[in-house]
Amino acid sequence: MLFKLTTWNINSVRLRIELVAKFLEEVQPDVLCLQETKTPDDAFPLKRLKQLGYEHIAIAGQKGYHGVAIISKLPFESSNVRVFCENLDSRHISVAFGASAGMAVPLIVHNFYVPAGGDIPDPVANPKFAHKLQFLDEMKACEPLHPRNDARHILVGDLNVAPHENDVWSHKQLIKIVSHTPIECEKLLAVQSEGGWIDVARERIPMSEKIYTWWSYRAADWTAANRGRRLDHIWVSSAMKDMIRDFTVTREARSWERPSDHVPVTTVLEL
């Protein structure tokens, strides 16, 4: 079966629910993973999403900040929320798909919103940056994020790190900017290595090519400046490497009315 999955930092799901609806109607992913939903669970726009055919929804939200959700056409067997840094701040949710979704082999999807880390890349001077580094360390050490042998896992989300030189518009100018500092890049790549994860974007697109998924609101004309970063990621477990069939970045979504500063990132897998 072909399985299409999208990750998108929506920057308020209630504010941008019609953009979500537009995307779901046009692209029709089987699963949409959202980050920075910024809404408590009891205010999540479930009704609108179910009208669009996405009846299976797992959410971990809070008022005004953070928040993650997995929205699916396919039923899942279970969902789970994991706490990092002893902080109940709605930064992870996972679901497990099985026979009810037509899958002979179970599939687990992890959705993350890694802390942004503030503006100062110094863990002593900036507690937000210290939190981010600790979060990445805990991801690396987290046993459920170490899929082995034939286990089918997907890890997606706004990981808030652009780990490679061509994941940013200027490696030279951003090397001391939070999201592309050497320590962040090293720690995210250590998470990837420890879990044996395959970075779908870089599996499909050579390291020599630029890839961006985020453009700052501060740019007067984001298209002209094109100062992007690749902060949004899709990783698959090593057992799924040969199942990757497609990878796309919906760049045009950055120009939609009242857009998120992130755009949807989608993969197609043949399970």
Side-chain angles (χ1 to χ4, degrees):
M1 63 181 287
L2 290 178
F3 178 78
K4 184 186 290 187
L5 178 145
T6 298
T7 181
W8 190 5
N9 177 318
I10 194 60
N11 192 13
S12 178
V13 67
R14 286 187 291 174
L15 180 64
R16 297 188 168 86
I17 186 59
E18 290 310 315
L19 296 187
V20 173
K22 170 185 170 73
F23 178 81
L24 292 176
E25 289 173 334
E26 291 179 359
V27 178
Q28 292 287 318
D30 297 294
V31 174
L32 172 64
C33 295
L34 295 176
Q35 305 87 39
E36 209 171 351
T37 55
K38 293 184 174 178
T39 185
D41 293 354
D42 60 5
F44 199 90
L46 296 172
K47 183 177 179 181
R48 183 75 177 95
L49 293 164
K50 290 181 178 181
Q51 287 173 342
L52 293 162
Y54 292 80
E55 297 186 358
H56 310 282
I57 302 172
I59 50 179
Q62 63 186 104
K63 186 177 181 180
Y65 297 95
H66 316 142
V68 286
I70 299 178
I71 297 157
S72 177
K73 288 182 179 180
L74 305 173
F76 43 81
E77 311 292 323
S78 61
S79 64
N80 181 57
V81 172
R82 185 168 291 276
V83 173
F84 290 81
C85 305
E86 298 182 347
N87 202 335
L88 297 169
D89 58 356
S90 306
R91 293 186 178 276
H92 169 269
I93 194 165
S94 65
V95 299
F97 294 97
S100 63
M103 297 186 188
V105 178
L107 172 66
I108 296 175
V109 175
H110 293 274
N111 182 17
F112 275 95
Y113 178 41
V114 171
D119 295 327
I120 303 168
D122 180 342
V124 176
N126 177 9
K128 291 182 178 179
F129 194 68
H131 178 212
K132 182 177 191 174
L133 299 183
Q134 181 185 350
F135 195 102
L136 292 169
D137 284 341
E138 290 191 14
M139 285 180 70
K140 177 186 174 184
C142 182
E143 191 60 34
L145 300 182
H146 303 159
R148 302 302 184 199
N149 301 320
D150 295 332
R152 295 184 179 184
H153 289 237
I154 305 174
L155 188 158
V156 308
D158 177 3
L159 304 186
N160 259 317
V161 182
H164 302 295
E165 289 194 15
N166 283 324
D167 291 341
V168 294
W169 65 273
S170 171
H171 171 64
K172 183 177 179 180
Q173 294 188 60
L174 269 67
I175 197 167
K176 295 183 179 180
I177 302 298
V178 172
S179 79
H180 191 59
T181 64
I183 190 170
E184 294 168 271
C185 296
E186 289 167 12
K187 286 184 180 294
L188 184 69
L189 292 174
V191 176
Q192 182 186 343
S193 175
E194 191 73 15
W197 296 100
I198 306 300
D199 178 350
V200 172
R202 287 305 178 189
E203 188 68 17
R204 299 286 294 184
I205 300 170
M207 285 285 189
S208 58
E209 292 187 28
K210 297 279 191 182
I211 314 174
Y212 310 142
T213 65
W214 173 92
W215 293 261
S216 173
Y217 286 131
R218 296 174 185 173
D221 183 345
W222 75 273
T223 54
N226 198 28
R227 293 187 169 189
R229 306 179 202 178
R230 183 172 75 105
L231 303 180
D232 306 273
H233 299 261
I234 300 176
W235 298 350
V236 298
S237 56
S238 56
M240 301 183 73
K241 180 178 180 178
D242 294 335
M243 301 178 188
I244 302 166
R245 295 293 175 266
D246 197 15
F247 173 82
T248 53
V249 176
T250 308
R251 179 186 170 96
E252 61 271 22
R254 185 62 180 80
S255 291
W256 291 350
E257 188 175 354
R258 299 182 75 188
S260 171
D261 45 359
H262 297 252
V263 298
V265 179
T266 302
T267 190
V268 176
L269 305 164
E270 187 169 0
L271 303 180

